[in-house]
Amino acid sequence: MKNYNDLNDYEIMYMVSENDDVARDILFEKYKPIIYKMANKFKKIGKRLGLEVEDFIQEGYVGLYSAITNYSDNKNAMF
């Protein structure tokens, strides 16, 4: 596995745009704690709606995947 510790998100996103699957996995691991934290914030609301925390986690990963695949540095937006 490559070492990405010294790279920022933009450098990793460039590698992802070059079809580096390991770089994509690094982004998923990096943002995993944020996804879990946000999912747990919605735990009480989800319980009332019949949703589990895992549903929110899955949606978080779907959203991150969408952000990774649709990101374009030409749009002048932060990742």
Side-chain angles (χ1 to χ4, degrees):
M1 182 175 219
K2 298 177 185 176
N3 186 359
Y4 292 96
N5 292 335
D6 297 330
L7 301 176
N8 63 38
D9 286 351
Y10 298 106
E11 294 167 322
I12 297 172
M13 284 301 297
Y14 174 77
M15 293 175 174
V16 169
S17 72
E18 297 290 316
N19 296 319
D20 187 339
D21 292 333
V22 175
R24 182 178 294 114
D25 292 342
I26 294 296
L27 283 174
F28 277 107
E29 280 300 313
K30 180 177 181 178
Y31 287 99
K32 181 178 182 177
I34 295 171
I35 291 171
Y36 276 73
K37 183 177 179 178
M38 294 302 296
N40 281 312
K41 281 187 175 185
F42 291 99
K43 186 187 286 189
K44 289 181 183 179
I45 295 170
K47 202 169 226 177
R48 283 186 263 152
L49 298 172
L51 300 170
E52 300 290 328
V53 174
E54 290 79 19
D55 296 326
F56 292 114
I57 292 170
Q58 184 177 13
E59 287 298 318
Y61 279 120
V62 169
L64 179 58
Y65 179 79
S66 177
I68 291 169
T69 57
N70 294 319
Y71 177 76
S72 172
D73 58 351
N74 297 334
K75 295 181 181 177
N76 205 14
M78 294 177 66
F79 179 76

